[in-house]
Amino acid sequence: MKLFAGRKQRKQLEDKVLELTQDLSKEKEKKDRLRNMLFQRSKRLAVSETKKLNEGIAKTFEQPKVYAKDGAAMDSTPACTPMDDRGSYGLINDQQLGYFYNHGFMGYTACATIGQHWFASKACTIKGKVAVGAGYKLSINGETDENAEAKIKEIRKWERRHKVKRNLVQAEKFKEVFGVRHILFRVDGHDPELPLNFDSVKKGQYRGFSQPDPQWVYPILEGESLTQPASIDFYTPDYFLIAGQRYHKSWVVMIIGDEVADVMKPFYRYGGISLTQKLWQRVYSAERCADEAPELLATMRMIVEKTDVAAAILDEESFIEGQEFNARMRTNFSTRIINREDDVTQIQTTLAGVSELTMDQYQIASAIAEAPITIMMSDTPKGFAATGENELKQFYETCSWVQDELSEILDKHYELLERSLFGTAVGIEHEWCELGQMTEKEAAEIREIDSRTALNYVTGMVVSGEEIRDKLSNDPESGYNLATRIEGDAEERALDELIKGVEDEL
């Protein structure tokens, strides 16, 4: 009896568990239905609101209709329509304007994603590498040559340890990727919310500069920079919020891409237009052309065989079997077997112009990047007597602008570094080296021309040979060291003058 009671109780418990499981399943289904209903209702509401918003936008940008007085066709009406009361000339329809909206600010994540592509990455990096790769000379005001040389060596050592040149290239690269780059200078023992005071920097306090990506930087505008369009600092951030810490603008150097109008600056976080935004569609088109070229090569031959389509439909199995047999028997290096009555034609797609079309797309992308195609593609100039000299000259002019932009970073960097290294301001100055260094042959040709010019001046008694020697001795690139000879000549001249003076007195 006890065993029977235990089985009965167990059966009741199992029935109860089953009932609860069914109830839970019903509740879950009910909950899912409610969630689905809410989702569908939200979706319909969102679609409705979006439709209303689009209708409002379309109404705002609606073009005024133009009709000719005598009912002439639209293409005979004036090209321009009068300005309407909304200030729009009505020259751009929604589809055309939408194209330009698609080339607006895309967000920093999209910019970073496009910046990974090899061509976009090279386009964003190449100007910074060329500008910084030329190097810069350092000098210290008011110091003797030995003291200045020792301090410059110490500065160079500090910069190599902190990878300053690499950081400068990185700053230029990500300015092009994001349209803005924030250079944040780090000094120990100072409140970054207060304006940066260079004279308060003590020895060993300067730690270099960091570069947070723009998604971590929140510009803060106050006072006239936000409310007075006539202000010089209008729409220039007064502070930057980074990870909960406010930094005064004097601690940050902003380098930005192409400027945008004031009305667009809040959308760009007060930065500029990135190169990735301008470049993405051209790079996509160029890569599509390059990718489809090998596919076109693999499918350039198409076989057309005349057959009885009705008979093939009636006996599909035999038709497919015959086609499979032909496929097995034929390759690009063998002969196709056909019946005597078959009519087979091969159609071949021409590949003429494919490479030119592909390179044209890369050429457009290179033009947007302001870099010669020969540099971007590591290629030699094409065409009759083409040297690429003019393109390189324009490219170096662009890189010189990059050097000027990076000088703002270096100026503040050296003001902090000289106090941190030497405990006081010593007047460190930098001068960028010239871009596009001459080859040895070009330098030799210029020296030959200079020598002929100097010879003509000496022969014409415009200057003396001593002046020419002075010029050569002061030129570190002349290849001659005439200091000893000039000193000897000077002693001889002094002795001759002394003897001549004594003879005159006698």
Side-chain angles (χ1 to χ4, degrees):
M1 294 295 293
K2 290 182 179 180
L3 181 62
F4 178 76
R7 290 179 177 176
K8 183 177 181 181
Q9 188 176 8
R10 181 178 179 183
K11 177 65 174 174
Q12 291 176 350
L13 290 174
E14 290 177 351
D15 293 341
K16 187 67 174 178
V17 169
L18 180 61
E19 183 179 355
L20 291 174
T21 303
Q22 292 175 351
D23 292 341
L24 287 174
S25 178
K26 291 179 180 179
E27 290 294 330
K28 184 178 179 181
E29 292 178 358
K30 183 178 179 181
K31 186 177 180 180
D32 291 341
R33 286 198 303 271
L34 289 174
R35 184 185 291 112
N36 188 38
M37 290 173 61
L38 289 173
F39 174 76
Q40 295 296 334
R41 184 177 299 176
S42 301
K43 184 177 179 181
R44 288 195 298 271
L45 181 62
V47 170
S48 176
E49 292 298 325
T50 303
K51 184 178 179 180
K52 290 180 181 178
L53 180 61
N54 291 336
E55 289 176 354
I57 294 174
K59 186 175 181 181
T60 302
F61 291 99
E62 183 180 2
Q63 298 185 37
K65 296 181 180 180
V66 180
Y67 298 98
K69 293 182 180 179
D70 300 329
M74 290 296 292
D75 56 3
S76 64
T77 58
C80 295
T81 58
M83 180 184 285
D84 60 12
D85 55 359
R86 296 184 300 276
S88 171
Y89 283 93
L91 297 178
I92 304 179
N93 59 35
D94 293 343
Q95 289 77 15
Q96 293 171 333
L97 195 60
Y99 172 82
F100 294 98
Y101 278 134
N102 289 334
H103 288 74
F105 182 60
M106 62 181 69
Y108 294 128
T109 302
C111 290
T113 302
I114 296 170
Q116 296 179 110
H117 186 271
W118 72 270
F119 190 93
S121 178
K122 189 172 184 178
C124 293
T125 309
I126 189 66
K127 292 193 288 291
K129 281 187 175 181
V130 173
V132 178
Y136 49 86
K137 301 176 182 178
L138 294 179
S139 60
I140 298 179
N141 295 330
E143 292 282 351
T144 62
D145 292 341
E146 293 182 359
N147 291 337
E149 186 176 353
K151 289 181 178 179
I152 288 174
K153 285 184 178 179
E154 190 174 353
I155 293 168
R156 293 293 193 188
K157 183 179 179 181
W158 189 96
E159 290 186 333
R160 285 193 297 269
R161 187 168 63 250
H162 290 79
K163 298 180 176 60
V164 171
K165 286 190 175 181
R166 180 181 178 184
N167 282 320
L168 291 175
V169 175
Q170 186 182 22
E172 175 61 22
K173 173 185 177 179
F174 286 102
K175 180 211 77 174
E176 299 285 15
V177 171
F178 295 116
V180 63
R181 196 62 171 171
H182 302 88
I183 313 301
L184 177 62
F185 293 87
R186 311 307 301 269
V187 182
D188 292 342
H190 290 69
D191 185 0
E193 196 166 348
L194 300 177
L196 177 58
N197 182 6
F198 294 103
D199 294 329
S200 65
V201 177
K202 301 294 188 296
K203 232 181 172 183
Q205 288 187 332
Y206 177 51
R207 299 299 182 188
F209 52 85
S210 62
Q211 303 180 48
D213 283 351
Q215 63 262 31
W216 310 116
V217 182
Y218 298 91
I220 300 175
L221 285 77
E222 297 177 350
E224 289 188 354
S225 63
L226 185 62
T227 59
Q228 294 297 327
S231 173
I232 295 177
D233 295 326
F234 181 66
Y235 268 7
T236 300
D238 297 291
Y239 294 91
F240 297 91
L241 184 65
I242 306 173
Q245 174 65 56
R246 281 164 58 105
Y247 292 85
H248 188 264
K249 62 183 179 181
S250 59
W251 291 80
V252 179
V253 171
M254 284 181 63
I255 56 174
I256 63 175
D258 291 350
E259 291 277 357
V260 296
D262 288 343
V263 69
M264 300 298 296
K265 285 183 178 180
F267 296 99
Y268 285 82
R269 288 201 185 178
Y270 306 95
I273 302 174
S274 65
L275 180 58
T276 52
Q277 174 183 323
K278 297 184 290 184
L279 197 65
W280 69 268
Q281 189 174 23
R282 289 300 103 205
V283 173
Y284 175 77
S285 299
E287 289 291 274
R288 281 291 303 274
C289 288
D291 289 340
E292 294 208 9
E295 295 181 5
L296 184 62
L297 181 63
T299 59
M300 61 181 296
R301 299 178 185 88
M302 182 175 64
I303 300 297
V304 177
E305 181 178 353
K306 294 182 180 180
T307 186
D308 188 349
V309 178
I313 295 174
L314 292 175
D315 192 2
E316 183 178 353
E317 185 175 351
S318 298
F319 178 75
I320 294 176
E321 184 178 352
Q323 294 298 314
E324 290 177 348
F325 173 78
N326 289 333
R328 289 196 306 271
M329 296 299 295
R330 180 186 181 277
T331 67
N332 288 335
F333 305 101
S334 65
T335 304
R336 179 185 173 117
I337 300 174
I338 61 174
N339 295 321
R340 295 180 182 276
E341 64 274 8
D342 289 345
D343 187 358
V344 179
T345 306
Q346 178 175 288
I347 299 177
Q348 183 163 323
T349 303
T350 178
L351 299 180
V354 174
S355 60
E356 290 81 0
L357 177 62
T358 303
M359 290 306 298
D360 285 345
Q361 294 300 314
Y362 283 112
Q363 180 78 47
I364 298 172
S366 299
I368 297 172
E370 297 181 285
I373 186 67
T374 53
I375 291 179
M376 293 300 300
M377 304 299 290
S378 301
D379 197 5
T380 55
K382 299 293 192 301
F384 178 73
T387 62
E389 184 177 351
N390 292 331
E391 290 81 358
L392 281 176
K393 184 178 179 181
Q394 294 176 359
F395 178 64
Y396 288 143
E397 289 177 357
T398 303
C399 292
S400 67
W401 281 98
V402 174
Q403 289 180 339
D404 292 339
E405 191 175 48
L406 297 177
S407 290
E408 185 179 358
I409 301 173
L410 289 177
D411 289 341
K412 186 167 288 190
H413 162 69
Y414 286 125
E415 284 197 59
L416 294 169
L417 181 60
E418 61 186 5
R419 291 168 171 82
S420 180
L421 278 181
F422 311 117
T424 183
V426 297
I428 302 175
E429 294 183 356
H430 73 279
E431 180 183 358
W432 289 99
C433 296
E434 185 178 356
L435 293 167
Q437 296 181 353
M438 294 183 294
T439 63
E440 293 184 2
K441 180 181 179 182
E442 292 171 340
E445 290 174 350
I446 292 176
R447 286 196 297 269
E448 183 184 0
I449 294 172
D450 290 341
S451 67
R452 290 201 300 266
T453 304
L455 180 61
N456 292 333
Y457 285 154
V458 173
T459 304
M461 302 182 66
V462 178
V463 297
S464 66
E466 297 166 0
E467 291 178 286
I468 300 299
R469 287 198 298 271
D470 288 338
K471 182 180 178 181
L472 288 174
S473 65
N474 294 325
D475 184 4
E477 298 180 357
S478 67
Y480 299 98
N481 182 10
L482 305 175
T484 304
R485 181 177 177 181
I486 290 174
E487 289 175 1
D489 291 348
E491 292 175 359
E492 292 178 3
R493 288 197 306 271
L495 182 60
D496 292 342
E497 290 176 0
L498 180 60
I499 294 173
K500 184 179 180 181
V502 173
E503 290 177 348
D504 292 341
E505 291 179 0
L506 295 175

mmCIF file of all heavy atoms in Angstrom, residues 9 59 63 129 191 210 224 235 268 273 283 313 331 368 376 384 389 391 433 491 495 499:
data_model
loop_
_atom_site.group_PDB
_atom_site.id
_atom_site.type_symbol
_atom_site.label_atom_id
_atom_site.label_comp_id
_atom_site.label_asym_id
_atom_site.label_seq_id
_atom_site.Cartn_x
_atom_site.Cartn_y
_atom_site.Cartn_z
ATOM 1 N N GLN A 9 1.574 9.582 -5.399
ATOM 2 C CA GLN A 9 2.056 10.926 -5.073
ATOM 3 C C GLN A 9 3.042 11.432 -6.136
ATOM 4 O O GLN A 9 3.015 12.597 -6.522
ATOM 5 C CB GLN A 9 2.727 10.909 -3.709
ATOM 6 C CG GLN A 9 3.089 12.304 -3.195
ATOM 7 C CD GLN A 9 3.670 12.235 -1.803
ATOM 8 O OE1 GLN A 9 3.933 11.142 -1.298
ATOM 9 N NE2 GLN A 9 3.816 13.382 -1.179
ATOM 10 N N LYS A 59 8.676 69.310 -48.361
ATOM 11 C CA LYS A 59 7.917 70.554 -48.525
ATOM 12 C C LYS A 59 8.821 71.763 -48.335
ATOM 13 O O LYS A 59 8.692 72.781 -49.009
ATOM 14 C CB LYS A 59 6.763 70.585 -47.526
ATOM 15 C CG LYS A 59 5.835 71.771 -47.730
ATOM 16 C CD LYS A 59 4.644 71.679 -46.792
ATOM 17 C CE LYS A 59 3.699 72.871 -47.019
ATOM 18 N NZ LYS A 59 2.541 72.810 -46.111
ATOM 19 N N GLN A 63 10.697 72.684 -54.879
ATOM 20 C CA GLN A 63 11.065 73.660 -55.875
ATOM 21 C C GLN A 63 9.820 74.369 -56.408
ATOM 22 O O GLN A 63 8.787 73.741 -56.645
ATOM 23 C CB GLN A 63 11.771 72.986 -57.049
ATOM 24 C CG GLN A 63 13.067 72.313 -56.669
ATOM 25 C CD GLN A 63 13.761 71.790 -57.891
ATOM 26 O OE1 GLN A 63 13.722 72.412 -58.935
ATOM 27 N NE2 GLN A 63 14.394 70.645 -57.765
ATOM 28 N N LYS A 129 54.597 61.733 -43.734
ATOM 29 C CA LYS A 129 55.892 61.059 -43.807
ATOM 30 C C LYS A 129 56.901 61.894 -44.592
ATOM 31 O O LYS A 129 58.073 62.003 -44.199
ATOM 32 C CB LYS A 129 55.732 59.695 -44.470
ATOM 33 C CG LYS A 129 55.169 58.624 -43.541
ATOM 34 C CD LYS A 129 55.196 57.266 -44.213
ATOM 35 C CE LYS A 129 54.752 56.166 -43.242
ATOM 36 N NZ LYS A 129 54.789 54.830 -43.874
ATOM 37 N N ASP A 191 47.487 71.836 -12.835
ATOM 38 C CA ASP A 191 46.053 71.628 -13.016
ATOM 39 C C ASP A 191 45.700 71.926 -14.472
ATOM 40 O O ASP A 191 45.797 73.086 -14.907
ATOM 41 C CB ASP A 191 45.266 72.540 -12.075
ATOM 42 C CG ASP A 191 43.763 72.267 -12.128
ATOM 43 O OD1 ASP A 191 43.360 71.362 -12.899
ATOM 44 O OD2 ASP A 191 43.008 72.947 -11.415
ATOM 45 N N SER A 210 50.208 63.450 -25.853
ATOM 46 C CA SER A 210 49.386 62.303 -26.253
ATOM 47 C C SER A 210 48.372 62.750 -27.292
ATOM 48 O O SER A 210 48.174 63.950 -27.505
ATOM 49 C CB SER A 210 48.675 61.693 -25.036
ATOM 50 O OG SER A 210 47.807 62.646 -24.448
ATOM 51 N N GLU A 224 31.636 84.157 -25.236
ATOM 52 C CA GLU A 224 31.598 84.704 -26.588
ATOM 53 C C GLU A 224 31.866 83.641 -27.654
ATOM 54 O O GLU A 224 31.403 83.779 -28.780
ATOM 55 C CB GLU A 224 32.621 85.833 -26.726
ATOM 56 C CG GLU A 224 32.253 87.091 -25.965
ATOM 57 C CD GLU A 224 33.190 88.224 -26.290
ATOM 58 O OE1 GLU A 224 34.172 87.977 -27.015
ATOM 59 O OE2 GLU A 224 32.938 89.348 -25.828
ATOM 60 N N TYR A 235 33.008 79.818 -31.975
ATOM 61 C CA TYR A 235 32.984 78.384 -32.270
ATOM 62 C C TYR A 235 34.369 77.748 -32.133
ATOM 63 O O TYR A 235 34.688 76.773 -32.814
ATOM 64 C CB TYR A 235 32.399 78.119 -33.651
ATOM 65 C CG TYR A 235 30.900 77.884 -33.626
ATOM 66 C CD1 TYR A 235 30.173 78.065 -32.456
ATOM 67 C CD2 TYR A 235 30.215 77.474 -34.769
ATOM 68 C CE1 TYR A 235 28.807 77.854 -32.418
ATOM 69 C CE2 TYR A 235 28.844 77.257 -34.744
ATOM 70 C CZ TYR A 235 28.148 77.449 -33.564
ATOM 71 O OH TYR A 235 26.801 77.233 -33.521
ATOM 72 N N TYR A 268 30.583 68.395 -36.892
ATOM 73 C CA TYR A 268 31.941 67.869 -37.002
ATOM 74 C C TYR A 268 32.718 67.998 -35.693
ATOM 75 O O TYR A 268 33.930 67.852 -35.692
ATOM 76 C CB TYR A 268 32.695 68.603 -38.114
ATOM 77 C CG TYR A 268 32.297 68.194 -39.512
ATOM 78 C CD1 TYR A 268 31.168 68.721 -40.122
ATOM 79 C CD2 TYR A 268 33.038 67.269 -40.222
ATOM 80 C CE1 TYR A 268 30.789 68.341 -41.401
ATOM 81 C CE2 TYR A 268 32.690 66.881 -41.500
ATOM 82 C CZ TYR A 268 31.554 67.425 -42.087
ATOM 83 O OH TYR A 268 31.184 67.042 -43.357
ATOM 84 N N ILE A 273 36.835 68.569 -42.371
ATOM 85 C CA ILE A 273 36.463 67.476 -43.261
ATOM 86 C C ILE A 273 37.633 66.512 -43.369
ATOM 87 O O ILE A 273 38.767 66.916 -43.626
ATOM 88 C CB ILE A 273 36.084 68.014 -44.648
ATOM 89 C CG1 ILE A 273 34.933 69.024 -44.535
ATOM 90 C CG2 ILE A 273 35.684 66.884 -45.576
ATOM 91 C CD1 ILE A 273 34.597 69.713 -45.833
ATOM 92 N N VAL A 283 37.847 55.458 -53.882
ATOM 93 C CA VAL A 283 38.613 54.260 -53.558
ATOM 94 C C VAL A 283 37.771 53.016 -53.804
ATOM 95 O O VAL A 283 38.254 52.011 -54.342
ATOM 96 C CB VAL A 283 39.094 54.305 -52.092
ATOM 97 C CG1 VAL A 283 39.747 52.989 -51.691
ATOM 98 C CG2 VAL A 283 40.088 55.440 -51.905
ATOM 99 N N ILE A 313 13.939 20.771 -74.122
ATOM 100 C CA ILE A 313 12.975 20.812 -73.014
ATOM 101 C C ILE A 313 12.266 19.474 -72.870
ATOM 102 O O ILE A 313 12.033 18.984 -71.756
ATOM 103 C CB ILE A 313 11.977 21.956 -73.241
ATOM 104 C CG1 ILE A 313 12.696 23.303 -73.174
ATOM 105 C CG2 ILE A 313 10.848 21.896 -72.217
ATOM 106 C CD1 ILE A 313 11.822 24.478 -73.515
ATOM 107 N N THR A 331 38.641 21.730 -72.286
ATOM 108 C CA THR A 331 39.308 22.699 -71.432
ATOM 109 C C THR A 331 39.859 23.790 -72.337
ATOM 110 O O THR A 331 39.724 23.732 -73.568
ATOM 111 C CB THR A 331 40.450 22.062 -70.620
ATOM 112 O OG1 THR A 331 41.476 21.661 -71.534
ATOM 113 C CG2 THR A 331 39.973 20.863 -69.820
ATOM 114 N N ILE A 368 42.338 63.581 -55.316
ATOM 115 C CA ILE A 368 41.648 63.973 -54.086
ATOM 116 C C ILE A 368 42.623 63.985 -52.912
ATOM 117 O O ILE A 368 42.557 64.862 -52.041
ATOM 118 C CB ILE A 368 40.477 63.014 -53.810
ATOM 119 C CG1 ILE A 368 39.441 63.107 -54.934
ATOM 120 C CG2 ILE A 368 39.824 63.317 -52.472
ATOM 121 C CD1 ILE A 368 38.351 62.059 -54.842
ATOM 122 N N MET A 376 51.675 57.383 -55.102
ATOM 123 C CA MET A 376 50.648 56.532 -54.496
ATOM 124 C C MET A 376 50.752 55.096 -54.989
ATOM 125 O O MET A 376 50.523 54.151 -54.231
ATOM 126 C CB MET A 376 49.261 57.084 -54.803
ATOM 127 C CG MET A 376 48.959 58.423 -54.150
ATOM 128 S SD MET A 376 49.048 58.355 -52.356
ATOM 129 C CE MET A 376 47.799 57.140 -51.982
ATOM 130 N N PHE A 384 54.954 60.489 -73.238
ATOM 131 C CA PHE A 384 56.126 60.980 -73.945
ATOM 132 C C PHE A 384 56.816 62.068 -73.128
ATOM 133 O O PHE A 384 56.201 63.064 -72.754
ATOM 134 C CB PHE A 384 55.706 61.538 -75.318
ATOM 135 C CG PHE A 384 56.848 62.112 -76.106
ATOM 136 C CD1 PHE A 384 57.783 61.275 -76.681
ATOM 137 C CD2 PHE A 384 56.987 63.474 -76.256
ATOM 138 C CE1 PHE A 384 58.836 61.796 -77.416
ATOM 139 C CE2 PHE A 384 58.033 64.001 -76.991
ATOM 140 C CZ PHE A 384 58.964 63.160 -77.572
ATOM 141 N N GLU A 389 57.956 65.970 -62.847
ATOM 142 C CA GLU A 389 58.600 67.036 -62.071
ATOM 143 C C GLU A 389 57.585 68.036 -61.544
ATOM 144 O O GLU A 389 57.648 68.447 -60.381
ATOM 145 C CB GLU A 389 59.638 67.740 -62.947
ATOM 146 C CG GLU A 389 60.425 68.811 -62.201
ATOM 147 C CD GLU A 389 61.492 69.450 -63.081
ATOM 148 O OE1 GLU A 389 61.715 68.924 -64.193
ATOM 149 O OE2 GLU A 389 62.072 70.454 -62.645
ATOM 150 N N GLU A 391 54.361 67.583 -60.976
ATOM 151 C CA GLU A 391 53.522 66.962 -59.954
ATOM 152 C C GLU A 391 54.258 66.894 -58.614
ATOM 153 O O GLU A 391 53.680 67.155 -57.552
ATOM 154 C CB GLU A 391 53.102 65.560 -60.397
ATOM 155 C CG GLU A 391 52.115 65.524 -61.556
ATOM 156 C CD GLU A 391 52.800 65.686 -62.892
ATOM 157 O OE1 GLU A 391 54.038 65.874 -62.913
ATOM 158 O OE2 GLU A 391 52.105 65.640 -63.934
ATOM 159 N N CYS A 433 63.860 71.354 -42.914
ATOM 160 C CA CYS A 433 64.749 71.185 -44.064
ATOM 161 C C CYS A 433 63.941 71.263 -45.359
ATOM 162 O O CYS A 433 62.731 70.996 -45.381
ATOM 163 C CB CYS A 433 65.477 69.844 -43.988
ATOM 164 S SG CYS A 433 66.584 69.691 -42.564
ATOM 165 N N GLU A 491 97.418 87.232 -42.850
ATOM 166 C CA GLU A 491 98.688 87.620 -42.225
ATOM 167 C C GLU A 491 99.621 88.269 -43.243
ATOM 168 O O GLU A 491 100.295 89.272 -42.951
ATOM 169 C CB GLU A 491 99.340 86.384 -41.606
ATOM 170 C CG GLU A 491 98.565 85.840 -40.409
ATOM 171 C CD GLU A 491 99.176 84.547 -39.887
ATOM 172 O OE1 GLU A 491 100.184 84.093 -40.498
ATOM 173 O OE2 GLU A 491 98.668 84.012 -38.891
ATOM 174 N N LEU A 495 101.096 92.064 -43.128
ATOM 175 C CA LEU A 495 102.521 92.354 -43.196
ATOM 176 C C LEU A 495 102.834 93.297 -44.358
ATOM 177 O O LEU A 495 103.628 94.247 -44.210
ATOM 178 C CB LEU A 495 103.297 91.048 -43.341
ATOM 179 C CG LEU A 495 104.831 91.171 -43.391
ATOM 180 C CD1 LEU A 495 105.348 91.825 -42.106
ATOM 181 C CD2 LEU A 495 105.473 89.798 -43.589
ATOM 182 N N ILE A 499 104.576 97.001 -44.040
ATOM 183 C CA ILE A 499 105.784 97.391 -44.765
ATOM 184 C C ILE A 499 105.512 98.610 -45.635
ATOM 185 O O ILE A 499 106.327 99.551 -45.708
ATOM 186 C CB ILE A 499 106.295 96.215 -45.614
ATOM 187 C CG1 ILE A 499 106.772 95.072 -44.708
ATOM 188 C CG2 ILE A 499 107.418 96.659 -46.543
ATOM 189 C CD1 ILE A 499 107.126 93.812 -45.460
#
